[in-house]
């Protein structure tokens, strides 16, 4: 990367930060001097993330919490204040996803994704506000499904659309406090749980669908998160920024293909 970010002395907290794209963001900040705290449900994921982040020689912390549970999110912030002080960068990226036709989705199946992605993001924002440092950068991780309708993704499309609007409203309300609130919408990012779940039978067409000719990397998303948290982005707030190689629309077609494949497979089994 030809831009030299330096986050020495900054405190970065990432909900859903123990694996995948969000962990990639955690590593990028740690590699540039930030103290990094990651949070997710599974103790094993938290412990593994802490072990890897320790290698960067920066202060590292981890907490087990479920973003669906407001009290557990509040407890994380209370612990962080006691140990770490005010937060400079707060990222909300916990999410759940699976392919399911809306007509086959139970009430709880729809609810679980809305609870994690949308209500969870609200919990992180609402509970986190009082713990932010002046001039803090807040970033929500959204998805192209927020604006592009995708078959078998009714739950995710609805939840992430809510995340986008929440981001815009909080940017309006928190701007006067000097807090910037933005969102990143990753495209297809290689080697992630999201891609494994949504394009399990990818034949390479996903790559061809991206104008820049490759899947994204976790570093691509991390670069945008660092930019948004740097002084170079000091006048950017309320923005939903794709990080997708220019190909959100086309790459989402691949998700549709995966859905068709799974539906055909299920039909063949009956
Ligand atoms: C239909 C399903 C289902 C499936 C679960 N459900 N999987 N319905 N098809 N494949 C239903 C269950 O039957 C249940 O409803 C309800 O959802 C809750 O399921 P639980 O297993 O009890 O939920 P829980 O243990 O809380 O787990 C949440 C989860 C799980 C979302 C279901 O998959 C998870 O923890 N995911 C986290 C990791 C993840 O998804 N990462 C990918 C993010 S990628 P009933 O009615 O039976 O009670 C992303 C965008 C990617 O977000 C974009 C790529 C381009
Ligand atoms: P991932 O590795 O599964 O990351 C999800 C993280 O959230 C995990 O650390 C998980 O850890 C945590 N989590 C899940 N449910 C939680 C809950 N209820 N409370 C607290 N933490 C929870 O998936 P990913 O593919 O990297 O996706 C990361 C983000 O990018 C998501 O917001 C996703 O929507 C977005 N995105 C991904 C892609 C892609 O190509 N992969 C594309 C567009 C958008 P635990 O299991 O330990 O809780």
């Amino acid at each position: 990367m030809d831009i030299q970010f330096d986050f020495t002395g900054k405190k970065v907290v990432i909900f859903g930060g123990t694996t995948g794209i969000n962990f990639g963001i955690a590593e990028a900040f740690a590699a540039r001097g930030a103290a990094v705290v990651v949070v997710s449900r599974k103790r094993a994921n938290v412990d593994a993330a802490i072990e890897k982040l320790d290698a960067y020689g920066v202060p590292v912390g981890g907490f087990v919490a479920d973003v669906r549970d407001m009290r557990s999110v509040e407890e994380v912030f209370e612990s962080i204040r006691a140990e770490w002080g005010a937060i400079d960068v707060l990222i909300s990226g916990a999410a759940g996803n699976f392919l399911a036709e809306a007509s086959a989705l139970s009430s709880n199946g729809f609810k679980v994704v809305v609870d994690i992605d949308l209500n969870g993001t609200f919990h992180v924002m609402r509970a986190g506000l009082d713990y932010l440092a002046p001039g803090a950068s807040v970033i929500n991780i959204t998805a192209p499904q927020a604006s592009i309708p995708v078959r078998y993704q009714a739950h995710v499309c609805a939840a992430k659309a809510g995340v986008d609007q929440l981001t815009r409203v909080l940017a309006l309300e928190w701007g006067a406090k000097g807090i910037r609130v933005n969102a990143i919408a990753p495209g297809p990012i290689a080697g992630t749980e999201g891609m494994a779940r949504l394009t399990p039978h990818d034949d390479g067409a996903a790559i061809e669908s991206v104008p820049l000719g490759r899947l994204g990397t976790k570093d691509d998303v991390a670069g945008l998160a660092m930019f948004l948290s740097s002084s170079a982005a000091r006048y950017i707030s309320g923005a939903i920024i794709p990080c997708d190689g220019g190909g959100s629309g086309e790459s989402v077609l691949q998700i549709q293909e995966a859905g068709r494949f799974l539906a055909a497979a299920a039909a063949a089994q009956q």
Side-chain angles (χ1 to χ4, degrees):
M1 199 172 289
D2 52 1
I3 299 174
Q4 302 300 315
F5 292 109
D6 182 2
F7 292 102
T8 305
K10 300 291 184 189
K11 289 154 198 126
V12 179
V13 176
I14 308 178
F15 280 78
T18 60
T19 65
I21 292 171
N22 304 323
F23 181 71
I25 295 172
E27 281 195 291
F29 275 106
R32 288 156 183 89
V36 178
V37 174
V38 290
V39 186
S40 78
R41 293 167 302 177
K42 296 178 192 139
R43 167 58 62 193
N45 285 347
V46 172
D47 289 346
I50 289 175
E51 194 179 331
K52 288 183 204 152
L53 290 170
D54 264 338
Y56 294 95
V58 293
V60 169
F63 295 90
V64 173
D66 190 321
V67 295
R68 292 169 285 190
D69 174 3
M70 180 62 159
R71 187 60 205 135
S72 84
V73 173
E74 288 171 341
E75 283 171 2
V76 167
F77 284 113
E78 286 160 13
S79 302
I80 287 173
R81 170 136 75 190
E83 283 182 47
W84 302 79
I87 298 164
D88 299 288
V89 180
L90 174 61
I91 299 178
S92 175
N97 200 345
F98 50 82
L99 290 166
E101 197 169 5
S103 61
L105 199 52
S106 70
S107 170
N108 196 36
F110 186 84
K111 182 176 181 296
V112 73
V113 171
V114 173
D115 272 350
I116 300 171
D117 294 25
L118 177 55
N119 296 341
T121 299
F122 176 74
H123 290 161
V124 172
M125 300 290 101
R126 177 71 182 81
L129 175 62
D130 288 345
Y131 299 88
L132 297 177
S137 163
V138 176
I139 300 172
N140 294 322
I141 307 300
T142 182
Q145 289 94 317
S147 53
I148 300 169
V150 178
R151 287 182 183 85
Y152 305 101
Q153 291 279 272
H155 43 353
V156 176
C157 288
K160 293 291 196 181
V163 170
D164 283 10
Q165 282 296 69
L166 180 61
T167 301
R168 294 183 178 107
V169 172
L170 295 185
L172 293 180
E173 295 188 4
W174 295 357
K177 301 178 198 294
I179 294 167
R180 297 180 298 105
V181 188
N182 293 292
I184 295 174
I189 305 301
T192 59
E193 183 66 24
M195 285 298 282
R197 284 177 182 232
L198 300 192
T199 61
H201 304 285
D202 181 38
D203 57 3
I207 295 176
E208 287 171 24
S209 75
V210 180
L212 288 182
R214 63 174 176 85
L215 297 182
T217 66
K218 293 165 200 163
D219 267 356
D220 292 329
V221 183
L224 178 51
M226 291 191 292
F227 164 73
L228 283 173
S229 303
S230 74
S231 57
R234 65 190 169 212
Y235 202 55
I236 299 176
S237 191
I240 315 295
I241 306 182
C243 183
D244 65 359
S248 282
E250 286 302 313
S251 52
V252 169
L253 291 175
Q254 298 307 313
I255 298 174
Q256 292 173 295
E257 286 305 318
R260 287 191 197 100
F261 180 93
L262 292 182
Q269 279 181 347
Q270 286 170 358

